[in-house]
Each structure stands twice: as structure tokens, then as C-alpha cells.
Amino acid sequence: MTPTAPRIDAVFDLDGLLTDEELAWRDRARAFAQERILPVIEADFEAKHFRRELVRQLGELGFLGMHLTGYGCAGAGAVAYGLVCLELEAADSGWRTFVSVQGSLAMSAIHKYGSEEQKERWLPGMAAGELVGCFALTEPQGGSDPAAMTTVARRDGDGWVLDGAKRWIGLASLADVAVVWARVEDPSGEFGAGASAVRGFLVPTSTAGFTATPIDGKLSMRASVQCDVVLDGVRLPADAMLPGASGLSGPFGCLNEARYGIVWGAMGAARSCLEAALQRSVSREVFGRPIGANQLTQAKLADMFVEVEKGILLALHLGRLKERGALTPAQISVGKLNSVREALEIAHQARSILAGDGITDAFPVMRHAANLESVRTYEGTDEIHQLVLGRALTGLAAF
Ligand code: TGC
């Protein structure tokens, strides 16, 4: 018998659980990943290069804000969006991150909370990939506690002046518009329930006082862009505020969308690692036979396969809940925690099967492992999601 690596998605009939439309979205994303990202990703990761020219193609394919309706967005279902995230992240987490930041964070914020004028101004161009958005929530002291935000928005005549700093803001140096979350100094209570409510502002990045500087020295997400942002006396008109968001539930509502995409996306990175390990296990011989013929290797492959399949089935279940409008933040925490934690473990197991070759760029595994360290940290660390679940289980908040 000639050893060949089987297709893992044929072992467990996932396609049978998807509609023809969902499969078509999945296939378009897989083709884009294979034709546009995979041929260049190792070089881009090495060179710390983000391929801006692909953004329009993502727009043409309908992937940007694809789960939103109207304003040039595709109006696709949550499962279709998840499948696109999975296929992009199977190539590189940086590209799934791009789609998340643009669609789930920046566009979702405008779509959920924006005025009609704000939606008309920004969303069609963002859906087409002509305009890029970013989402400025996290501050330099850390991302886990947005309630400690120090960026402020002060009234100035009819408008606003923003001062503060943000960090780890994806796409900020490429962006045309930033969704900036700031604490409004509002003693009159006119702009929020409290004296210092958190509100969102749409900041054209050409506005004086807005600067975004890419963070260098990253050993993860090297083919994408994360920035330090400084807001130094940024003057905005009165209508820059998002009218529909008051308080932290505003940005958290967008984080829910992005975390949902990660539930699927991380399983793409995991699948890529498993495929690499599986192929190598039948082609690499040690002690006179393929390493995949050894029981210890098979045990690793079986465990990796079980977690990939479980993770995708969980993502699918959450997606179906989301399509029914029944998905809760605690359920999203289960998915984000599980997908990223298991994807990292799968990457580590795959690396061990690849042995020394596993640390090279001949295989995608170390790149995925490095990227997943970022994914584990952003959009709520493992610990944050454990605390969300701890609170849901006990009724007691431990933060
Ligand atoms: P608390 O301050 O008590 O609650 C504030 C309000 O928010 C509501 N809320 C949510 N609403 C919707 N969805 C959720 N998931 C929500 N979680 C909380 C809450 O009901 C309350 O509403 P209201 O109307 O009563 O004021 O916050 P909490 O105690 O519920 O939550 C604490 C904790 C630790 C869970 C929360 O702070 C948290 O999730 N922290 C992690 C934040 C995080 O994920 N940071 C990473 C950001 S990554 C990012 O910004 C983008 S990275 C991508 C890139 O740019 O590249």
C-alpha cells in the first residue's frame, strides 16, 4: 500500500452540515488563500510585509463586513463568515485578523451604532476594500480592563477634542478611519448615563493630532500591522460621535463579533498544522518506516484530529445559534478559549512530529504557533474568558 495523507475534512462529513451557499463562500476563501496568500506568506512573514494590494480583492470577493446587511455588504450568514475566517487563518492569522478588524470591529461598530450619514459615508467604501478601518480600544497599560480607559473626549464648542493613547491597534497606520473609544467628560450627563461614559468616535486618520506608528520587533503576526496610536488634541465635529453606543457595552458588542470569528479562524490554523504533520508522518521515514506507522505518532495525530473536529463542530453550533440571534457572550467565551488553546496545542504537537524541520519555514507550523500567541492574547486572553465563564457558572465576578 502506498502511504498517502488523507483529506481530514473527508473523514468527518462536515460538508454535509453546510448549505451550498456556505460551501461556495468557503471555496472562494480557500481559493483566495491558496492562490494569493500561501505563495507569498513565508516571505511576507520574514520581511514583516503586509500586502495592501490584496485588500481590494478581499472587497471584490465580498469578505469585508460580509455578515452585515446593506451599504454594499454581502448579508451572508454567520456560518458562511466563520468558514471564510477559517480558510483565511489556515493561510495566516494576519489575514483573518485583517478581515476581523475591518469587518467585525470597525464596520460592525459603524453598522451597529452609527447614524445613517456615518453608515453611508464609510461602509460602502470599507465593504469594497477602498477604505480601511481600525478599532482603537486597547490602551498602553493593557487590554483586559477597558473600564480603566484614560483617553478622554472633551466638549469644545459644538465639537470634541480627543486626547490619549492606544496600543496594539490593528491596521491603524493603513486606516482611513479609526473607531476611537474615549471617556467623555460629561458632567451634565448629556452624552451618557454617567458623568464619564465611554463613547465611540469616528476619526478620519488624516485629522491633525492623530498619529499611528507600526509596532516593530514582533515575532508574531509579522505579515500584518499593529500600531501605537497617539491622539493629541484631535478636533472633531459634533457628528463624529457614534450615536448608538453609550458605555462599554458598545465596544464589547463589537468584540463579540470578532471573538466569534476567532472561534472559527483558530481552527483553520489548527487544521493547517494537522495537515502538515499528517503529510510528513507518511513521507518521513525513521527506523525504516514512516513515522506515522508508530503508535506514539498516531496517538498525537488522533488527538489533534479529535480537537480540530470538535472545535469546528463547536464553531458550527455557535454559528447556528448566532444566526438564530441566540448566541450569548459566555458561549462565545467557550468557543474563543477552546479554539485558540487547542489550536496552540495542535501547533506544538505538529512541530514535534516534524522534528527539526518543524522549526523552519518549510512548514507553516512555527508561523501558526507564533501567530496564535497573539490570537490567544487579543480579544480577551484565556484568563479573561475563564473569568467570564467562572462568573457565568458561579454568579460571582472575580475581576
Ligand atoms: P463591565 O465593565 O461591568 O460591563 C460593562 C458593560 O458591558 C457589558 N458587557 C458586554 N456587552 C456585550 N457583550 C459582552 N461580551 C459584554 N461584556 C460586558 C456589561 O453588561 C455592561 O453593560 P451595562 O449596560 O450594564 O453598562 O464589564 P464586565 O464586568 O461585564 O466585564 C469585565 C471583563 C473583564 C469581562 C471585560 O472587561 C472584558 O471582556 N475584558 C477583555 C477586553 C478585551 O477583550 N480586550 C482586548 C481588546 S482586543 C481589541 O481591542 C482589538 S484587537 C484587534 C486589533 O486591533 O488588531
Side-chain angles (χ1 to χ4, degrees):
M1 187 182 77
T2 308
T4 53
R7 285 183 57 91
I8 60 171
D9 54 2
V11 178
F12 203 109
D13 182 25
L14 285 166
D15 288 12
L17 301 173
L18 303 171
T19 66
D20 288 346
E21 192 181 340
E22 289 162 347
L23 289 169
W25 280 106
R26 194 270 315 269
D27 291 347
R28 283 196 291 277
R30 186 176 288 181
F32 178 84
Q34 287 176 350
E35 291 162 17
R36 302 285 176 213
I37 304 176
L38 286 177
V40 293
I41 191 60
E42 296 300 347
D44 287 353
F45 191 86
E46 175 72 15
K48 299 185 274 190
H49 178 59
F50 175 74
R51 214 164 269 268
R52 177 76 169 80
E53 65 272 22
L54 295 187
V55 170
R56 288 250 186 167
Q57 294 176 36
L58 290 172
E60 284 162 15
L61 285 162
F63 296 160
L64 302 177
M66 64 178 272
H67 60 300
L68 305 174
T69 50
Y71 310 98
C73 304
V79 169
Y81 176 52
L83 289 162
V84 168
C85 288
L86 186 149
E87 294 300 334
L88 295 179
E89 194 148 0
D92 192 76
S93 299
W95 281 101
R96 196 273 308 145
T97 298
F98 178 86
V99 167
S100 289
V101 171
Q102 175 89 345
S104 290
L105 294 175
M107 292 178 72
S108 277
I110 299 169
H111 197 272
K112 280 177 195 286
Y113 310 126
S115 65
E116 199 52 40
E117 292 72 24
Q118 290 169 334
K119 292 178 195 181
E120 294 285 358
R121 177 175 178 192
W122 295 108
L123 290 177
M126 293 170 84
E130 291 159 4
L131 300 173
V132 171
C134 67
F135 186 87
L137 174 67
T138 293
E139 300 199 343
Q141 76 276 8
S144 290
D145 185 15
M149 176 184 303
T150 60
T151 297
V152 292
R154 293 188 187 86
R155 281 302 262 177
D156 179 55
D158 282 345
W160 297 95
V161 177
L162 268 57
D163 285 286
K166 303 284 181 180
R167 185 162 166 81
W168 296 117
I169 307 308
L171 317 179
S173 58
L174 312 163
D176 299 283
V177 61
V179 178
V180 177
W181 299 95
R183 190 171 294 290
V184 167
E185 293 192 345
D186 178 24
S188 69
E190 186 186 353
F191 296 102
S196 59
V198 168
R199 303 294 304 241
F201 294 85
L202 296 184
V203 182
T205 56
S206 55
T207 310
F210 180 98
T211 50
T213 308
I215 296 171
D216 203 3
K218 291 180 298 165
L219 301 178
S220 171
M221 295 282 187
R222 287 166 63 94
S224 71
V225 178
Q226 287 79 30
C227 297
D228 277 308
V229 167
V230 173
L231 301 143
D232 182 11
V234 173
R235 287 182 185 279
L236 299 171
D239 63 4
M241 179 189 274
L242 292 169
S246 178
L248 279 173
S249 58
F252 286 154
C254 304
L255 293 188
N256 289 339
E257 302 290 337
R259 290 168 176 173
Y260 168 76
I262 292 171
V263 178
W264 284 92
M267 283 296 114
R271 186 190 72 190
S272 170
C273 292
L274 172 56
E275 285 172 346
L278 200 49
Q279 282 163 10
R280 198 69 172 132
S281 72
V282 293
S283 66
R284 175 170 171 245
E285 294 202 358
V286 176
F287 295 115
R289 59 184 184 165
I291 53 169
N294 294 309
Q295 291 184 1
L296 287 176
T297 303
Q298 290 198 1
K300 288 179 188 176
L301 292 170
D303 286 350
M304 294 157 72
F305 174 70
V306 166
E307 292 306 329
V308 169
E309 298 302 317
K310 277 163 58 181
I312 293 175
L313 286 172
L314 173 60
L316 181 60
H317 177 61
L318 298 186
R320 295 294 180 222
L321 287 174
K322 188 165 169 38
E323 287 173 346
R324 297 208 310 262
L327 185 62
T328 68
Q331 290 166 336
I332 297 171
S333 284
V334 172
K336 202 273 182 181
L337 175 64
N338 180 74
S339 282
V340 184
R341 190 164 61 183
E342 294 305 330
L344 255 173
E345 177 59 23
I346 286 165
H348 294 154
Q349 290 290 358
R351 212 291 307 153
S352 77
I353 290 172
L354 297 170
D357 292 340
I359 70 160
T360 72
D361 66 5
F363 295 93
V365 172
M366 279 293 278
R367 178 169 51 78
H368 283 309
N371 285 339
L372 287 165
E373 292 293 344
S374 295
V375 183
R376 184 176 218 170
T377 301
Y378 69 32
E379 307 291 357
T381 61
D382 282 8
E383 293 80 2
I384 286 292
H385 292 294
Q386 287 168 322
L387 293 176
V388 168
L389 294 173
R391 177 175 61 178
L393 290 169
T394 65
L396 304 169
F399 39 79

